[in-house]
Amino acid sequence: QVKQQFESRANTNCVVFTAIEYKTQVVAGTMYFIKVQVSNAGYVHLKVFQSLPHENLGPSLVNFQTGKTRDDPLTYF
């Protein structure tokens, strides 16, 4: 759901966009840290905020880290 937000902010087009792993952090909503495969050997880490259900807002890309590999640990950032 945040692919277009990532592509726009990273100024790229992803043929592959597959979530591999994720972690959550409960805040006033939920913060998701997601490892996403964007090419054969390319990975990015996304920080995505999902607000509380009564706010009726979709997920929002907060931050991202590029240049990751499949073996890079997914950390809170």
Side-chain angles (χ1 to χ4, degrees):
Q1 290 181 327
V2 296
K3 180 180 179 185
Q4 287 182 329
Q5 292 175 54
F6 171 73
E7 288 178 333
S8 174
R9 289 177 54 184
N11 196 27
T12 187
N13 289 317
C14 302
V15 176
V16 178
F17 199 81
T18 307
I20 303 299
E21 176 185 352
Y22 76 95
K23 293 182 179 183
T24 60
Q25 179 182 30
V26 176
V27 288
T30 304
M31 194 69 71
Y32 290 91
F33 297 86
I34 310 166
K35 181 185 293 187
V36 177
Q37 183 176 8
V38 293
S39 67
N40 284 344
Y43 292 81
V44 296
H45 291 179
L46 306 181
K47 182 177 183 180
V48 176
F49 178 70
Q50 177 62 62
S51 61
L52 296 170
H54 71 276
E55 295 178 8
N56 278 336
L57 299 172
S60 174
L61 180 63
V62 176
N63 203 351
F64 61 91
Q65 297 175 333
T66 59
K68 298 294 185 176
T69 68
R70 185 176 184 93
D71 297 329
D72 285 336
L74 184 59
T75 58
Y76 298 108
F77 61 93

